[in-house]
Amino acid sequence: MGVTATPATRTEQVYEILRGELLNGVLHPSQKLKMVDLTERFGVSQSVVREALTRLTEQGLLVATPQRGFRVRDLSIEDIAELTETRIQIESLALRLAVERGDLQWETGILAAHHRLERTSVTRDDGTVSEDWTLQHRDFHQALLTGCGNRRLESVATSLRDSAELYRRWYWVLTDDHQRDLAREHLQLKELALARDADRAIEVLTEHIDRAPSLLITYAREHGMDELTPPAPQGQAQPR
């Protein structure tokens, strides 16, 4: 398939297509991305493809190796566990501070973000996760923490959450968690934050963050895998 328009626009198009394939299970962990194949597929120059791959590498979705090119990053049990542990610690701290320091603007931001989230469909017609929902989900979690009054802490929390996105998508593909009530979890987080119940809010947030990686790790261990190579996505799955 060819992409058109200016080099910058072509780079953006290639980037968006490959990012979607990474996040929806089309490209597998450790899979090598061959420059020649991609330039032929998209009908663009190597510089356009290289720029798109570099952007994906900067986001932690790909790994660039000297003399060997680009490949999808590995998904290891150890990294999933360490990332989850760090996220829980950082986001719990930020949420506690937000509950203590948050003002009326913080409360209004949470209400607005939750309103948008609950009115956005989780999946598209083909069963894949809606990118609109993903953005609203990200905005809601950022709204919860923004009242902490510490931009560096917010930045770290956001970076860690973004790093978990690929793992979150493999959770949707690999695990059977269709009964999960995400709407209830988000409603609880909203209500507890606004009620200034920091202890209970952190308990719910911890469970919310930990559920997907725990199930992903369980799946990997049950199948004797350390690096996860999932099958093609099937049906509708639930994110966190």
Side-chain angles (χ1 to χ4, degrees):
M1 63 177 289
V3 295
T4 58
T6 66
T9 303
R10 290 197 292 269
T11 296
E12 186 67 24
Q13 290 174 328
V14 172
Y15 162 80
E16 290 293 345
I17 292 171
L18 292 177
R19 181 177 182 275
E21 292 181 350
L22 279 161
L23 296 179
N24 288 297
V26 177
L27 300 175
H28 295 174
S30 303
Q31 180 175 337
K32 186 174 181 180
L33 302 183
K34 298 180 180 180
M35 189 74 66
V36 173
D37 292 346
L38 293 175
T39 56
E40 291 180 355
R41 172 188 172 187
F42 293 114
V44 297
S45 67
Q46 287 196 7
S47 62
V48 167
V49 172
R50 184 176 294 105
E51 185 174 346
L53 296 178
T54 299
R55 286 182 61 186
L56 293 167
T57 301
E58 291 170 350
Q59 295 181 354
L61 299 177
L62 298 179
V63 175
T65 306
Q67 309 303 321
R68 300 185 65 181
F70 297 85
R71 62 176 173 79
V72 182
R73 89 179 195 204
D74 300 328
L75 301 184
S76 72
I77 289 175
E78 181 180 21
D79 187 49
I80 295 171
E82 290 179 352
L83 176 58
T84 303
E85 180 180 52
T86 307
R87 282 193 65 201
I88 289 172
Q89 293 296 321
I90 294 297
E91 292 197 37
S92 294
L93 172 59
L95 181 57
R96 183 175 297 280
L97 290 175
V99 168
E100 294 173 356
R101 301 173 176 175
D103 55 13
L104 181 60
Q105 183 177 355
W106 171 70
E107 293 181 352
T108 303
I110 292 174
L111 287 169
H114 182 264
H115 183 78
R116 293 191 297 269
L117 177 63
E118 69 177 352
R119 280 161 177 72
T120 304
S121 177
V122 177
T123 58
R124 295 179 290 218
D125 292 340
D126 62 2
T128 60
V129 177
S130 165
E131 292 303 318
D132 288 339
W133 185 92
T134 298
L135 291 174
Q136 299 302 336
H137 181 242
R138 186 176 190 266
D139 287 348
F140 173 69
H141 279 278
Q142 287 182 326
L144 285 173
L145 306 185
T146 192
C148 73
N150 187 318
R151 287 175 296 178
R152 288 187 179 274
L153 187 58
E154 283 186 64
S155 178
V156 172
T158 298
S159 176
L160 290 168
R161 193 180 308 116
D162 289 346
S163 294
E165 181 65 22
L166 190 54
Y167 291 142
R168 187 158 43 235
R169 297 301 183 106
W170 289 124
Y171 152 76
W172 303 332
V173 173
L174 289 168
T175 68
D176 181 11
D177 199 16
H178 297 255
Q179 302 306 311
R180 183 174 187 179
D181 191 346
L182 277 167
R184 182 186 63 80
E185 292 177 30
H186 292 132
L187 179 62
Q188 278 187 301
L189 285 169
K190 181 200 75 171
E191 292 181 342
L192 290 168
L194 296 180
R196 307 287 174 152
D197 188 344
D199 289 340
R200 180 60 183 143
I202 288 170
E203 287 180 12
V204 172
L205 179 66
T206 298
E207 294 170 1
H208 183 71
I209 292 173
D210 188 58
R211 180 162 176 163
S214 290
L215 287 173
L216 190 56
I217 288 172
T218 297
Y219 177 94
R221 287 175 173 159
E222 287 177 348
H223 290 76
M225 299 187 308
D226 180 49
E227 294 178 359
L228 310 181
T229 304
Q234 295 180 356
Q236 177 176 330
Q238 294 284 8
R240 68 167 161 75

